[in-house]
Amino acid sequence: MTRQSTTSPSFLTESRAVSKRFGHFDAVDDVSMNVAGGEVVGLLGANGAGKTTLIRILLGLIGASTGEALLMGEPPSRELRRSIGYVPQSLGLYDDLTVQENLDFTASAYSQPRPSVPADLADHADTLVGDLALGTQRRLAFACALLHRPALLVLDEPTSGVDPLSRARLWDTIHQQADAGAGVLVTTHYMQEAQQCHRLLLMSGGRLVAQGSERDVIGGTTAVEISADDWAAAFSALERAGEAVTLDGTDVRVADGDPYRLQLVLEAASIPAQIRSVPATIEERMTVLARAERVGSTPPTS
Amino acid sequence: MRAMILKEFRELRRDRRTLAMLIAMPLLLLVVFGYAANFSVDTVRTAVVGPQAEQATAQLPFFFDVTTVEPDGNRSTAEDLLQRGEVDVAFVSSTGPAVALVDGSNLFAAQSIVSVLNRLSDQVTTEVLYNPGLKTSWVMIPAIIGLILTFIGTIITSIGLVRERQTGTLEQLAVMPIKPSTVIFGKIAPYFLVASIDMALITVLGMWLFNVPFNGNPLVFALGGALFLFVVLGLGVFISTVSQNAGQAIQLAFFFLMPQILLSGMIFPLDAMAAGVRWIAYFLPLTYFTMISRGVMLRGAPLDSLWLPVVALTLMALLVFTGAVLRFRRDLAPTRRKRGGTSESDAASGAEAGST
Amino acid sequence: MSYGVSDAWVRFGSQVALRGVSVGVPAGQVTAVVGGDGAGKSTLLRALVGRVGLDQGSVAAPARERIGYLPATTGSWLDMSVQENIDFVGGAYGLTGQALARRADPLLERADLAGVRDRLSGQLSGGMRRKLGFCLAMLPDPELLVLDEPSTGVDPVSRVDLWRLISEAAANGSAVLMSTTYLDEAERCASLLVLHEGHTLLSGTPHEVVASLSGTIISTTTLSRPAFGWRHGRELREWFPEGRQPAGGSVITPDLEDVVIASSLKLGMDGEERL
């Protein structure tokens, strides 16, 4: 964990040992992280892992119970938030205004000149946002967030419910911003998107349990891949045996599985299958973490 | 700042309901308070009975609009006329000083009558029936029962129904093998029940706290209450079918509630309203419920004397409730009903689609 | 028994939501409908369960008593507990008491919801609530199970749970049709249908769909024509529709995501040509 002196604005946003408690519930627990210019940082974790709460603390929308959140090296303030483009899950658009009017409003709010409607939204310039498809609304929310050329982009599940091509184009925009020097903090449930990030942060139960490259996040988790003609039967048999089963296409995978033990299970169920050890995925690491949480034990930190 | 204001106006312009509220509400209040808010009664419906009826009628000031003259009648004839709500005051003339019987359940008329009669005190003995103390609470509580039912029926019911639409579970109900009628009545019955209990509770509490009498037949009261409930529940269901969320439902329910409070005769007497406004009152269900509840509770009016409000409420109930239920039913049916019950049913082919 | 929709046309006013879409939903398999918001996925699913009438075309579906349906919305009654939701929906299908418990208990057990029977649906996490919606849809032991975006907004761990439940439902003989925006899920289905603005963009088994793309896709570090390129994980991909062997980069075997993106690109370009 890199620590910078308090005055250094080398990180666009940074949290230092930030915790947030709601009643008896630790929504965020001792999280230290940062985002620098030019990098795309992926924030991963299950529903309720504390991702959105952390984002809201970083933006200064809610205060931390303990610890310190910094924007541009200073405590978050309204003035500092001007250098941020934020797209919440709810998008934050006005349904009763047209595309052009939403853009106009955002531009005025950031003291920008009246913007022209981006080419891919031009057909809808005078359509009420409430009448647009979700994918189009997301593109507009992006366009609004980028209007004032923010130094830091914060995106909460930007591609949820969007078709593959639009998703690819949204990620093109994300990378263009990073290439132009902006920092991007993005949450996603989609592991193919996580791989497009320069750096990953994995949260579980409010804590930052891993960070770094995909390899770093996967940590010591291993995986075994099982190919069986009757993959559904193999899946059920291993599931019944209490293994952390996932699927990749029609291959059955077991996180932290012991190939020998798995072989015994499959033989007992008379399911012919090929078993081999393979590199684990981020999803498997998350599955292992979730299972650890369910039984109440402490998940391993890497 | 300018941008914020501009945005707010643009949004407001597109939110038709709020816009309507902004324009309609001031107009309504202006009209109501200008024309309807009038406590002073100009004339009162009067009956004169007894041997000297003809002579007495001639002596009465213009304030008394004599609608019935019955030389053969006596005090019980007069009481009967008052109980049925046909007149506001009845003079019983006989050999001694005349007796003026005043209907205290029509508070403002009664107050005017009493003040006029006090100036003629030598010739007339005044007796206030049904509300001898001329208490405001006595006339308000029967009306407030109706107001509370309106509140439950429209606001609470519409919120309860619209929630199902908002969360999308109406979609699941529509696909499950439950008959639409079961869904509709299953959704409405609890509110009907709760409102009925509330009605009984408020009535008893009102009687207990304010000593409001209950002189009439509880069954007549229950009939009026039930009919009225059907109307307001129907309104609630209707509101829920044209609203997408609870906010819209409340807004719309408020539109229905406001005129009922002001124009139903609950606060301002119908008799004192300008004719241009009074006709609105005759389209409001609370007007009729108030007639029934005051009549039954205070005067002990019999059913046959209340035929007008009962028939009016019955017609409204049939119209509003059926209309609302049909609209609700439409939400539970497929968007276009071309598909049969079970398997393989070829839909009639529509017009050739304009594909590109 | 195979259910489905054939040559379905649906118009809402001037908008055409489905333009001659057909999909077969065989028993014992999971069939996926892929597409973004506004592609027509929900309309197709709603047509199959009888919520949307067709302007043209036909629907084959079992009786209502044997259809399980999870809409794209919450899928359960937020102000009722898990058990109350089960009781209510079970009752609608004529299941009560022991019969209901025999049906519901294993479902809740498998969905990992048995421990939270008393919790209000509104207090469940997004993933748990979707699983509850799934359990409710499974109560009638459906011949046809229709799931509208069961996994959208659901985290990867709950998504694995959901997928396990869905594949089990199919393994037990239900005909399952689910919509999704996740192509890794579609890749696991027996067959899939990709919708784009009401049109069928691609359909068939995952293998057939992947094989249907003409031309070559390469993995590269620089795009020669950005309009034909996209990011795939850490790599850049570029499509050469004519199959011309590109100078740089290496030809790869595309996955479903690559094929859907390339096909969407093609559609966009065809559209421009028409104009």
Side-chain angles (χ1 to χ4, degrees):
Chain A
M1 180 74 238
T2 331
R3 285 276 172 116
Q4 296 287 320
S5 68
T6 320
T7 49
S8 164
S10 60
F11 293 128
L12 298 170
T13 186
E14 182 179 3
S15 76
R16 296 178 176 175
V18 158
S19 296
K20 180 69 185 179
R21 175 168 293 226
F22 294 115
H24 295 295
F25 173 65
D26 287 313
V28 172
D29 188 2
D30 192 23
V31 170
S32 300
M33 48 71 70
N34 56 55
V35 180
E39 66 171 350
V40 180
V41 177
L43 181 56
L44 312 178
N47 296 115
K51 303 188 297 292
T52 301
T53 309
L54 178 64
I55 286 178
R56 293 174 60 81
I57 293 172
L58 291 174
L59 295 178
L61 299 175
I62 51 172
S65 303
T66 59
E68 187 179 24
L70 299 175
L71 274 181
M72 318 297 151
E74 292 172 39
S77 67
R78 185 170 298 117
E79 201 44 46
L80 287 171
R81 281 208 293 270
R82 295 179 70 89
S83 49
I84 296 173
Y86 174 42
V87 183
Q89 276 181 48
S90 53
L91 299 184
L93 299 171
Y94 296 98
D95 283 0
D96 280 340
L97 296 186
T98 65
V99 167
Q100 177 76 63
E101 287 166 352
N102 265 285
L103 284 164
D104 288 354
F105 173 66
T106 314
S108 314
Y110 288 97
S111 318
Q112 297 288 314
R114 187 169 191 264
S116 55
V117 177
D120 59 337
L121 291 166
D123 290 351
H124 304 293
D126 296 319
T127 312
L128 292 186
V129 166
D131 296 337
L132 290 176
L134 182 74
T136 317
Q137 289 191 17
R138 281 195 193 280
R139 289 211 300 275
L140 174 61
F142 253 63
C144 285
L146 296 177
L147 268 181
H148 60 292
R149 287 178 288 278
L152 175 67
L153 255 182
V154 179
L155 311 167
D156 202 354
E157 288 187 37
T159 59
S160 176
V162 175
D163 70 85
L165 180 58
S166 306
R167 206 153 52 203
R169 290 300 170 240
L170 286 174
W171 272 93
D172 283 346
T173 313
I174 291 174
H175 280 278
Q176 278 158 18
Q177 293 298 314
D179 292 346
V184 182
L185 181 64
V186 53
T187 71
T188 181
H189 285 323
Y190 199 52
M191 292 308 127
Q192 204 263 87
E193 292 178 2
Q195 291 174 343
Q196 299 191 24
C197 298
H198 300 120
R199 200 150 61 82
L200 296 170
L201 305 168
L202 176 59
M203 288 185 75
S204 175
R207 301 202 300 137
L208 186 65
V209 292
Q211 62 174 319
S213 67
E214 188 182 1
R215 280 278 113 222
D216 295 335
V217 166
I218 292 165
T221 305
T222 61
V224 174
E225 190 175 74
I226 296 135
S227 307
D229 287 338
D230 193 354
W231 60 270
F235 186 94
S236 303
L238 293 168
E239 221 284 324
R240 268 196 304 277
E243 299 290 345
V245 198
T246 61
L247 278 168
D248 178 24
T250 55
D251 287 335
V252 179
R253 296 174 63 108
V254 179
D256 276 350
D258 171 4
Y260 179 68
R261 191 177 65 218
L262 301 179
Q263 181 143 27
L264 291 182
V265 171
L266 291 172
E267 277 171 6
S270 331
I271 299 166
Q274 284 179 299
I275 302 176
R276 60 195 170 275
S277 289
V278 289
T281 63
I282 302 171
E283 269 155 314
E284 278 155 349
R285 175 76 204 277
M286 289 174 75
T287 306
V288 170
L289 282 170
R291 285 168 67 92
E293 248 180 73
R294 270 177 210 173
V295 296
S297 68
T298 318
T301 311
S302 62
Chain B
M1 183 67 160
R2 209 182 64 89
M4 195 73 207
I5 293 171
L6 184 65
K7 172 197 85 75
E8 210 56 38
F9 270 121
R10 280 172 166 168
E11 283 188 291
L12 198 55
R13 195 179 71 207
R14 304 233 167 80
D15 183 359
R16 293 209 193 85
R17 289 170 197 235
T18 307
L19 209 57
M21 212 158 172
L22 268 173
I23 295 165
M25 215 34 94
L27 277 178
L28 179 76
L29 292 177
L30 183 74
V31 168
V32 165
F33 284 103
Y35 293 106
N38 185 4
F39 295 114
S40 64
V41 180
D42 297 332
T43 59
V44 293
R45 292 165 302 153
T46 309
V48 188
V49 302
Q52 267 93 52
E54 304 280 354
Q55 298 91 313
T57 306
Q59 288 167 19
L60 282 175
F62 178 71
F63 174 71
F64 297 99
D65 174 17
V66 180
T67 52
T68 317
V69 180
E70 289 206 31
D72 302 332
N74 55 20
R75 188 184 163 106
S76 76
T77 325
E79 281 184 9
D80 191 45
L81 286 167
L82 284 168
Q83 187 183 39
R84 301 176 67 85
E86 287 174 21
V87 294
D88 302 311
V89 58
F91 292 93
V92 185
S93 67
S94 62
T95 45
V99 178
L101 301 177
V102 182
D103 173 8
S105 74
N106 196 348
L107 185 69
F108 294 105
Q111 280 170 339
S112 306
I113 293 164
V114 169
S115 76
V116 170
L117 288 177
N118 282 345
R119 277 175 259 145
L120 313 168
S121 55
D122 302 347
Q123 303 137 50
V124 189
T125 319
T126 309
E127 260 185 62
V128 179
L129 302 181
Y130 314 128
N131 184 4
L134 286 177
K135 285 187 195 150
T136 311
S137 61
W138 282 32
V139 297
M140 285 306 280
I141 285 176
I144 284 186
I145 294 170
L147 186 65
I148 289 168
L149 292 188
T150 313
F151 184 77
I152 297 176
T154 53
I155 297 190
I156 310 284
T157 308
S158 58
I159 292 174
L161 296 190
V162 92
R163 191 171 41 207
E164 196 107 35
R165 180 189 314 278
Q166 214 175 335
T167 56
T169 40
L170 196 66
E171 187 83 357
Q172 264 163 305
L173 286 179
V175 171
M176 282 168 13
I178 314 179
K179 273 188 280 183
S181 58
T182 313
V183 174
I184 293 167
F185 288 99
K187 288 235 52 138
I188 297 173
Y191 295 99
F192 193 89
L193 200 71
V194 169
S196 306
I197 293 169
D198 247 10
M199 176 166 83
L201 205 70
I202 296 296
T203 310
V204 170
L205 214 61
M207 290 164 63
W208 181 57
L209 288 175
F210 300 98
N211 297 314
V212 183
F214 199 109
N215 293 322
N217 185 345
L219 287 178
V220 177
F221 184 73
L223 172 72
L227 287 172
F228 181 63
L229 258 184
F230 271 110
V231 182
V232 291
L233 283 174
L235 279 177
V237 175
F238 175 78
I239 289 168
S240 79
T241 61
V242 294
S243 304
Q244 292 305 317
N245 54 54
Q248 287 185 355
I250 291 174
Q251 210 169 28
L252 208 55
F254 190 68
F255 265 114
F256 282 98
L257 201 60
M258 194 73 176
Q260 311 235 34
I261 297 175
L262 296 170
L263 295 177
S264 65
M266 177 177 131
I267 298 173
F268 308 117
L270 283 179
D271 302 338
M273 282 178 203
V277 174
R278 200 190 312 170
W279 66 268
I280 302 175
Y282 292 117
F283 286 97
L284 302 176
L286 189 56
T287 306
Y288 298 103
F289 178 77
T290 305
M291 287 180 185
I292 295 175
S293 61
R294 280 181 182 161
V296 173
M297 288 179 72
L298 302 179
R299 299 197 307 272
L303 178 61
D304 67 310
S305 72
L306 295 171
W307 69 270
L308 174 72
V310 169
V311 168
L313 281 182
T314 310
L315 287 178
M316 283 186 184
L318 282 174
L319 202 74
V320 175
F321 197 74
T322 336
V325 164
L326 287 178
R327 266 197 76 95
F328 191 9
R329 202 191 147 86
R330 218 181 53 180
D331 288 345
L332 290 170
T335 24
R336 258 146 301 151
R337 54 191 84 209
K338 276 181 179 169
R339 184 171 168 265
T342 51
S343 61
E344 291 271 349
S345 67
D346 285 357
S349 64
E352 252 317 295
S355 66
T356 44
Chain C
M1 188 69 205
S2 181
Y3 304 111
V5 172
S6 59
D7 192 30
W9 286 82
V10 172
R11 291 177 197 83
F12 295 116
S14 61
Q15 275 192 313
V16 186
L18 291 180
R19 301 164 184 268
V21 173
S22 301
V23 63
V25 191
Q29 290 188 3
V30 184
T31 306
V33 184
V34 182
D37 183 66
K41 301 191 304 290
S42 283
T43 307
L44 180 65
L45 265 52
R46 295 174 77 221
L48 186 59
V49 299
R51 278 299 287 153
V52 171
L54 299 181
D55 289 309
Q56 199 180 316
S58 64
V59 171
R64 271 147 82 90
E65 289 74 15
R66 302 307 302 276
I67 297 178
Y69 174 51
L70 174 65
T73 48
T74 50
S76 55
W77 283 264
L78 300 179
D79 294 328
M80 292 202 290
S81 70
V82 169
Q83 185 63 48
E84 285 163 351
N85 268 287
I86 293 279
D87 291 345
F88 171 63
V89 175
Y93 289 96
L95 289 169
T96 48
Q98 282 297 311
L100 177 59
R102 268 198 303 278
R103 181 84 200 125
D105 289 353
L107 279 171
L108 290 178
E109 199 65 49
R110 308 287 290 142
D112 208 18
L113 290 170
V116 292
R117 283 171 189 267
D118 295 329
R119 201 177 303 172
L120 295 185
S121 160
Q123 293 169 349
L124 297 176
S125 74
M128 285 166 111
R129 200 177 308 135
R130 280 322 257 171
K131 284 193 277 182
L132 172 60
F134 174 87
C135 290
L136 295 178
M138 282 299 289
L139 280 179
D141 192 8
E143 284 173 25
L144 175 64
L145 180 62
V146 178
L147 309 168
D148 201 351
E149 298 203 24
S151 60
T152 295
V154 172
D155 66 65
V157 177
S158 298
R159 225 158 60 211
V160 169
D161 286 348
L162 262 171
W163 178 257
R164 190 188 64 219
L165 293 165
I166 293 168
S167 53
E168 278 174 3
N172 291 331
S174 292
V176 184
L177 182 66
M178 64 176 278
S179 65
T180 181
T181 53
Y182 295 105
L183 289 164
D184 56 338
E185 279 173 8
E187 205 153 24
R188 281 170 216 155
C189 296
S191 65
L192 68 126
L193 175 75
V194 183
L195 290 182
H196 184 87
E197 290 173 1
H199 290 280
T200 303
L201 185 61
L202 297 164
S203 72
T205 66
H207 283 298
E208 286 166 357
V209 168
V210 169
S212 71
L213 187 78
S214 58
T216 21
I217 291 180
I218 61 159
S219 171
T220 178
T221 47
T222 44
L223 297 175
S224 57
R225 297 168 305 170
F228 287 85
W230 61 92
R231 264 163 234 271
H232 189 287
R234 283 175 299 270
E235 303 164 358
L236 284 172
R237 299 275 161 93
E238 186 168 348
W239 179 45
F240 291 85
E242 323 76 33
R244 180 168 56 83
Q245 189 65 38
S250 54
V251 177
I252 52 126
T253 313
D255 66 9
L256 195 53
E257 176 131 359
D258 295 320
V259 171
V260 170
I261 291 177
S263 303
S264 305
L265 285 173
K266 182 163 180 276
L267 195 76
M269 284 158 200
D270 290 353
E272 274 162 28
E273 275 165 27
R274 274 206 301 270
L275 285 175

